[in-house]
Amino acid sequence: MLGLCLGLAFCFGRLGPAHAADDGFTRFVASLWPDAEKAGVTRATFETQTRDLKPDYKLPDLILPGRPKTGAPSQAEFVQVPADYVKEARIARLAVDGQQLASKYHDTLAAIERRFGVPGTIILAIWGRETDYGRYQLPYDGLTVLATQAYVGRRKDQYRNEFIEALKLIQHGDVTRKGLRTSWGGATGLTQFLPSELAKHGVDFDKDGHINIWTSVPDALASAAQQLVNKGWQRGIRWAYEVKAPPRADCTEGVPEVTKPLGEWLREGFVPVRGRQLSAAEKATPASLLQVEGIYGPSFLVTKNYFVIKEYNFSDLYVLFVGHLSDRMNDGQPFATPWSASSQLRTTDVEAMQKKLTEIGLYADKIDGKAGMLTRAALGAYQKRAGLKVDCWPSESVLRAMQTGR
């Protein structure tokens, strides 16, 4: 491998990106054959699908000699304020489209819910968020993405496996090479699966002998439902309840580790919006507090199923989008409390906050510049210690306080 690395550096240094060490890439792809064979890929499939395969060095999240690290592109759910991510106009449009699709696929969705216990509107909302109900055309050739990421990406070992799993999909006839279009990260199909996730959770719901999440809506929706079930989905439980928080509520409790029955939260002064009445079974359901804008904007009591959806995309805003879109297909009402934040700190500023919080022992999670539940709670703990207003929101004023050693 040292020779390959030296060759790669030479090619980038002398020939430029257009020639991008294709010989080294070709040798690398050939080196994957033993693992592919062990996984059940035939020699004919391997040679046919890798012949003339070329890397795409314009992809993000690569480590290339002579080039600065770019990392993954900023995901909207981590850099946009909630009002921009859970945009009302988009939610309203997708809800109307979702209602039409719920009618079109009524029998399929009913069968999926009977089998898996996942409401049809939740699965439709995932489809709507991931590919705009199939209207969004994924831009990349899948094998090119997976092989390039396996060669010079930051997560090489993961993508070696994804590349081999993609070959197996093609070999089995689930998808053609032309049909295997992906995101830059290798996710594919109407409901956006990595090949290895499809291998774990894919369902041939239309019984045609293939797991086809690219053109078979039943397979795509059932596979999404199966993934949720495999990750712990609980039948008959809502994803979340919007509530009005009492003035004395402690936003630092907004972490998964602080879980209480919904009835206990209600006794502490949290009130379901719009006069919603909870049954005895609902009041016994464990829930955690979620305030994605700190004490500002809507508050939610979220159940285990909230965190299951979060396994699909590790972002609170993503889950809020999916859960809210599902609700809108049913009752058509927006959040009762409007969003408040108009600006979001830069990723580098949030990283600086996380580093400071780590130094003083209030934070022990990833330094990633994303103001998730644990970061917000740690900020609230810092605000308590520093004698600041406790709002659990990463603002310029809190950053300045940290920089001045307060």
Side-chain angles (χ1 to χ4, degrees):
M1 288 302 292
L2 179 59
L4 289 181
C5 293
L6 290 173
L8 183 61
F10 173 81
C11 288
F12 271 99
R14 295 293 185 84
L15 300 178
H19 293 83
D22 289 354
D23 288 345
F25 175 78
T26 300
R27 290 194 294 273
F28 167 74
V29 171
S31 76
L32 300 177
W33 162 244
D35 288 341
E37 183 181 30
K38 288 177 186 174
V41 177
T42 66
R43 188 75 200 188
T45 295
F46 189 86
E47 290 185 354
T48 299
Q49 300 304 326
T50 61
R51 186 180 301 127
D52 301 324
L53 187 64
K54 291 183 171 54
D56 182 355
Y57 294 123
K58 294 180 181 178
L59 291 172
D61 217 21
L62 304 181
I63 300 174
L64 300 171
R67 292 191 187 183
K69 261 192 223 179
T70 57
S74 295
Q75 291 178 257
E77 50 263 35
F78 295 114
V79 296
Q80 289 183 341
V81 294
D84 288 338
Y85 185 84
V86 191
K87 193 178 285 292
E88 171 58 25
R90 187 179 181 201
I91 290 286
R93 174 182 66 80
L94 288 173
V96 170
D97 293 345
Q99 290 169 336
Q100 294 171 348
L101 289 167
S103 177
K104 179 178 179 179
Y105 294 105
H106 176 271
D107 292 347
T108 295
L109 291 167
I112 288 173
E113 185 162 357
R114 283 195 301 272
R115 177 169 166 182
F116 300 105
V118 182
T121 52
I122 289 287
I123 305 304
L124 286 173
I126 289 173
W127 184 18
R129 179 63 191 88
E130 293 293 350
T131 59
D132 198 20
Y133 302 122
R135 286 182 290 241
Y136 174 66
Q137 299 301 305
L138 295 164
Y140 296 102
D141 172 73
L143 288 189
T144 297
V145 166
L146 298 172
T148 304
Q149 293 285 0
Y151 183 44
V152 288
R154 286 193 307 112
R155 294 171 287 165
K156 296 182 179 66
D157 289 343
Q158 175 189 345
Y159 280 103
R160 285 173 68 100
N161 180 55
E162 299 297 348
F163 178 75
I164 291 169
E165 289 294 334
L167 290 176
K168 290 165 66 177
L169 291 173
I170 295 171
Q171 177 174 289
H172 191 253
D174 295 327
V175 65
T176 64
R177 167 71 184 279
K178 183 178 180 181
L180 187 64
R181 306 296 296 178
T182 71
S183 66
W184 67 263
T188 187
L190 297 172
T191 44
Q192 289 284 270
F193 278 69
L194 286 168
S196 65
E197 290 292 293
L198 189 57
K200 294 175 189 172
H201 313 299
V203 179
D204 176 18
F205 205 70
D206 61 15
K207 304 296 184 184
D208 69 349
H210 296 284
I211 298 172
N212 172 11
I213 64 169
W214 299 270
T215 60
S216 170
V217 171
D219 286 9
L221 300 184
S223 296
Q226 178 70 83
Q227 180 171 178
L228 293 178
V229 169
N230 288 349
K231 292 180 183 297
W233 183 270
Q234 296 181 349
R235 185 185 291 263
I237 294 177
R238 278 185 55 79
W239 67 281
Y241 298 82
E242 186 184 353
V243 293
K244 182 173 177 54
R248 64 183 181 279
D250 184 352
C251 61
T252 65
E253 289 194 321
V255 291
E257 292 75 18
V258 178
T259 301
K260 311 173 191 177
L262 278 163
E264 186 172 334
W265 289 107
L266 268 54
R267 287 192 292 274
E268 292 177 5
F270 290 84
V271 179
V273 300
R274 298 193 174 99
R276 185 186 187 105
Q277 297 298 308
L278 274 59
S279 67
E282 287 177 305
K283 290 178 181 177
T285 301
S288 300
L289 175 63
L290 173 72
Q291 295 177 303
V292 294
E293 286 187 339
I295 65 172
Y296 314 108
S299 297
F300 305 89
L301 294 174
V302 301
T303 70
K304 168 73 181 296
N305 286 343
Y306 174 93
F307 296 101
V308 172
I309 299 173
K310 200 169 180 177
E311 293 284 329
Y312 223 99
N313 181 310
F314 199 75
S315 158
D316 292 321
L317 290 184
Y318 176 90
V319 187
L320 282 177
F321 189 107
V322 167
H324 184 49
L325 176 53
S326 170
D327 288 348
R328 290 290 285 274
M329 292 181 210
N330 291 318
D331 63 25
Q333 296 189 85
F335 291 126
T337 302
W339 298 108
S340 299
S342 59
S343 62
Q344 175 74 282
L345 286 183
R346 295 175 302 175
T347 298
T348 52
D349 289 336
V350 178
E351 283 182 354
M353 285 182 162
Q354 290 172 328
K355 289 175 182 176
K356 179 65 176 179
L357 292 167
T358 300
E359 288 174 10
I360 61 178
L362 295 177
Y363 182 73
D365 203 43
K366 292 182 292 186
I367 307 296
D368 58 6
K370 299 168 184 176
M373 294 178 85
L374 298 181
T375 299
R376 293 193 300 269
L379 280 172
Y382 167 80
Q383 289 169 323
K384 285 182 181 180
R385 180 183 294 186
L388 303 172
K389 178 182 179 180
V390 181
D391 62 9
C392 299
W393 180 247
S395 63
E396 290 281 358
S397 61
V398 181
L399 179 62
R400 285 194 299 271
M402 288 183 174
Q403 290 171 337
T404 57
R406 185 169 175 179

